[in-house]
Amino acid sequence: MSNKMWGGRFASGPGAIMEEINVSIDFDKALYRQDIAASKAHADMLAKQGIITADDAKKIAHGLDTILSEITGGKFTFKRALEDIHMNVEGRLSELIGEPSGRLHTARSRNDQVATDFRLWMRDTIDTLDLALAAFQKTLATKALEHAGTVMPGMTHLQTAQPVTFGHHMLAYVEMAARDRGRFADARKRLNESPLGSGALAGTSFDLDRDMTAKALGFDRPGANSLDGVSDRDFALETLAAASIASVHLSRLAEEIVIWTSPLTALVRLSDKFTTGSSIMPQKRNPDAAELVRAKTGRIIGSLSALLIVMKGLPLAYAKDMQEDKEGAMDALSALSLSIAAMDGMIADLEPDAARMKKAAGEGYATATDLADWLVRTLNIPFREAHHITGQIVGKASAGNVALHRLPLADMQAVEPRITDAVFDVLSVDRSVKSRTSYGGTAPKNVKAQAKKWLKKLEKEKA
Ligand code: ARG
């Protein structure tokens, strides 16, 4: 049998392999809600413009409502023979209401239909991700407030650098998540133009009201070029780029959790809820969720590369290649959503070991910069020279295997005779972080203020 939707000029139906490679219902059924909403908007507009009768539009709307409840109620049978979500919905509409169903596709093509549906789906997904990221920010800021004064070793090159606070570290990720949300919001702004009414590629001879359908679907305006409307997928690419960057942020935090929970550092304890055991080694507490968040980044970035490659070199307008936009994007965005949820849960539950963190912060001569700064401030020594003097003092401490604040004053004076015992005031890790009061610095009072600022801002956003 030839295809009911497009089989007019065909004597036989597609071969089995043709059907297998062509079929998209297995994944584009996720677009059912958007597909039905867009069809309802289209039918309403056709009736208002006198292109179909009000009575037909009513029957169509009613039928589409029935289909929606069939799908949400799990009573709808998706048919692979009907290829995609558009033809599955229309096929069922024909069973339900007969002849008027055939009028729905007036002045429309699956090309503008799928471009519309996928934009709507992307927009909904961005909105869900934004809520999840906001919740994650709140969790991070709450942890930050709780640990505004918890000193930990700040690292560069994964070598002890200067003491920071755990709260400050958490707030760094709040800032990253804010920019991630900004990127999604930007993508959303640009994607919010309606392709509906572009037809197959050239527009249509029917007198459409594209503003009406755009408005009904919450778009800001109809897209101004029909070729562009059906053929670009930059909205998906932008969203995937934003998702890739967000997932890289999550992956870095995931890696830090892996490091912090390793017995080699034991700086943080994950809750049982986010830890797994080993089937052979009874002592193990593995950070599997963090490792999986770290790994999901691969498929998220992969889907961006895949779609870039699909689109590269495609001549205008629509080509079936574009059907490959959905599976990867849907998979990537659901992986991101799961990653955010897992990270949110891990951060909410984890407990830093404050004593170990403080001890680790004091190792590795983390307050050497404080000593150099003291030499600059108190003895008016140029920083470069102070750096050199401090290096020599650290060398002595290291040779004697003592912490900087335990090095006898006489040893320091052997390097720089003008040093007094007032220097010991700046050598403790607590004093060090307390002194970092520059805007954006790690001083506990800064961290407290920033955490509160974020919590207030996030609360206000919700209202
Ligand atoms: N399933 C198709 C897609 O996802 C819908 C558009 C089909 N258009 C066509 N001309 N065959 O791209």
Side-chain angles (χ1 to χ4, degrees):
M1 198 189 77
S2 73
N3 188 294
K4 207 166 113 193
M5 301 293 162
W6 45 255
R9 59 143 16 252
F10 291 81
S12 79
I17 299 296
M18 178 64 227
E19 194 172 292
E20 191 58 30
I21 195 169
N22 205 29
V23 73
S24 59
I25 189 63
D26 300 336
F27 49 88
D28 69 16
K29 64 180 167 200
L31 302 176
Y32 73 88
R33 203 175 280 284
Q34 292 78 14
D35 194 71
I36 288 171
S39 284
K40 283 182 77 171
H42 184 64
D44 271 356
M45 183 274 294
L46 291 178
K48 197 211 88 188
Q49 296 298 95
I51 299 167
I52 65 172
T53 66
D55 190 45
D56 281 348
K58 221 167 116 186
K59 285 184 184 132
I60 289 170
H62 197 82
L64 289 169
D65 285 340
T66 305
I67 293 170
L68 181 63
S69 60
E70 284 178 357
I71 297 176
T72 53
K75 289 190 203 81
F76 190 93
T77 318
F78 291 99
K79 296 184 186 139
R80 302 190 93 221
L82 289 179
E83 214 178 301
D84 57 24
I85 185 62
H86 324 297
M87 307 225 282
N88 266 271
V89 170
E90 202 183 311
R92 179 65 184 140
L93 189 64
S94 156
E95 286 171 9
L96 287 171
I97 67 167
E99 195 253 16
S101 74
R103 300 186 184 278
L104 171 60
H105 212 53
T106 313
R108 188 178 75 171
S109 154
R110 274 190 293 157
N111 297 351
D112 59 346
Q113 210 180 342
V114 75
T116 304
D117 293 1
F118 199 32
R119 275 172 197 256
L120 290 173
W121 183 91
M122 216 36 110
R123 197 178 71 189
D124 291 346
T125 304
I126 287 175
D127 291 344
T128 312
L129 286 170
D130 185 65
L131 285 177
L133 283 169
F136 178 46
Q137 284 184 300
K138 185 175 171 188
T139 303
L140 286 163
T142 305
K143 262 292 143 168
L145 189 57
E146 198 184 319
H147 291 286
T150 305
V151 178
M152 71 181 276
M155 303 290 200
T156 60
H157 315 266
L158 200 59
Q159 305 285 321
T160 308
Q162 293 174 351
V164 295
T165 71
F166 188 66
H168 197 52
H169 202 104
M170 293 292 102
L171 287 179
Y173 285 98
V174 176
E175 298 290 336
M176 293 178 232
R179 291 192 298 277
D180 291 332
R181 294 178 64 194
R183 271 180 284 273
F184 279 121
D186 284 346
R188 189 192 196 284
K189 233 180 275 165
R190 269 184 296 278
L191 77 67
N192 209 28
E193 284 189 357
S194 174
L196 196 57
S198 298
L201 76 165
T204 162
S205 57
F206 289 96
D207 176 26
L208 301 185
D209 184 346
R210 293 192 59 207
D211 288 299
M212 178 178 169
T213 45
K215 191 163 170 223
L217 295 169
F219 285 113
D220 295 328
R221 63 191 82 82
N225 184 296
S226 60
L227 288 167
D228 176 46
V230 296
S231 71
D232 206 354
R233 292 295 180 268
D234 59 352
F235 63 94
L237 290 170
E238 268 196 80
T239 308
L240 290 174
S244 296
I245 297 172
S247 79
V248 166
H249 288 151
L250 293 178
S251 178
R252 295 185 73 176
L253 181 53
E255 169 65 3
E256 295 193 309
I257 290 177
V258 170
I259 293 170
W260 294 335
T261 55
S262 164
L264 293 176
T265 70
L267 296 178
V268 156
R269 190 176 165 83
L270 273 180
S271 74
D272 287 354
K273 269 200 311 201
F274 286 98
T275 314
T276 56
S278 154
S279 57
I280 175 169
M281 298 164 284
Q283 84 284 10
K284 290 297 285 290
R285 291 181 58 81
N286 295 330
D288 288 30
E291 293 168 280
L292 286 163
V293 168
R294 191 173 59 182
K296 299 262 183 225
T297 313
R299 67 164 85 192
I300 295 168
I301 296 172
S303 79
L304 171 62
S305 322
L307 186 54
L308 283 167
I309 295 166
V310 165
M311 296 306 294
K312 178 205 159 293
L314 277 192
L316 301 191
Y318 179 83
K320 195 64 174 241
D321 307 52
M322 290 177 197
Q323 177 165 288
E324 288 285 316
D325 60 359
K326 282 175 266 321
E327 260 179 302
M330 288 173 174
D331 176 69
L333 298 178
S334 94
L336 179 61
S337 162
L338 185 56
S339 295
I340 298 168
M343 203 48 106
D344 193 346
M346 274 184 275
I347 295 294
D349 281 12
L350 64 72
E351 275 312 324
D353 183 332
R356 270 196 80 100
M357 273 191 169
K358 189 165 174 175
K359 186 159 174 279
E363 285 160 8
Y365 311 102
T367 55
T369 317
D370 298 87
L371 172 54
D373 288 350
W374 184 89
L375 295 172
V376 170
R377 211 176 287 120
T378 317
L379 304 179
N380 194 26
I381 296 174
F383 182 77
R384 282 288 161 232
E385 202 180 313
H387 184 285
H388 194 76
I389 294 167
T390 306
Q392 289 176 297
I393 294 173
V394 167
K396 275 186 184 294
S398 171
N401 201 19
V402 291
L404 217 42
H405 66 281
R406 299 244 186 272
L407 189 70
L409 180 61
D411 287 359
M412 296 195 205
Q413 286 170 334
V415 179
E416 168 51 63
R418 289 174 293 166
I419 297 178
T420 66
D421 64 0
V423 75
F424 290 103
D425 282 352
V426 303
L427 295 183
S428 84
V429 292
D430 283 313
R431 289 295 296 253
S432 172
V433 293
K434 219 175 266 173
S435 72
R436 297 285 192 276
T437 52
S438 58
Y439 181 72
T442 195
K445 76 168 193 209
N446 286 21
V447 173
K448 223 174 271 173
Q450 283 291 327
K452 282 188 183 153
K453 183 204 85 179
W454 271 112
L455 289 170
K456 210 162 129 188
K457 191 172 145 89
L458 292 164
E459 207 45 56
K460 222 162 100 193
E461 252 179 37
K462 269 200 278 182

